[in-house]
Amino acid sequence: MVAKQYTGSPEDADLRRADSLAREIFSDVANKWALLIIEALGERTLRFSELRDEVEGISHKMLTQNLRMLERYGLVERKVYPTVPPRVEYTLTEPGRGLRATVDAMCGWTHQYLGHIETARRRFDA
């Protein structure tokens, strides 16, 4: 797979275009594990095992893949300490904290409309 490169053209930022860089980023970042990792990190710095404990149900493999992706996009900073065994910590970067504001809003929306959505689901499934 060839990674798309930002050229500065309006097409790069158009989420409606299948070949846009913005859609590639949106597709990668807007998955449940990435959003839960961002929410878990919040204003904190956490080690891998602490993150795995915070994001219930995530496998070691999925946490690793999502942390690498978030680091690649500059949303998470990974710091390795030269100890035995190595200590690795993760922190949100400035863009990551900016995305966290959106994630927090989505969490608030979920809490606000949870009852409504559950009622609609029961009605639909009946």
Side-chain angles (χ1 to χ4, degrees), residues 1-5 20-21 23-25 27-28 69 72-73:
M1 182 176 129
V2 177
K4 293 174 179 56
Q5 298 292 314
S20 75
L21 179 58
R23 186 182 286 190
E24 179 182 326
I25 294 166
S27 175
D28 286 347
M69 178 269 299
R72 178 176 182 243
Y73 286 129

Side-chain angles (χ1 to χ4, degrees), residues 32-85:
K32 73 176 179 182
W33 296 124
L35 297 176
L36 290 170
I37 291 165
I38 290 166
E39 181 65 19
L41 280 172
E43 298 297 323
R44 306 180 291 171
T45 296
L46 295 174
R47 295 177 69 175
F48 186 91
S49 59
E50 293 171 322
L51 260 173
R52 194 174 58 223
D53 292 343
E54 287 285 323
V55 182
E56 191 172 311
I58 193 168
S59 68
H60 184 97
K61 178 182 175 181
M62 287 308 297
L63 181 55
T64 299
Q65 287 177 348
N66 277 275
L67 284 169
R68 286 181 180 160
M69 178 269 299
L70 292 168
E71 185 181 7
R72 178 176 182 243
Y73 286 129
L75 302 174
V76 168
E77 180 180 46
R78 177 179 182 263
K79 186 168 185 182
V80 181
Y81 294 90
T83 60
V84 178

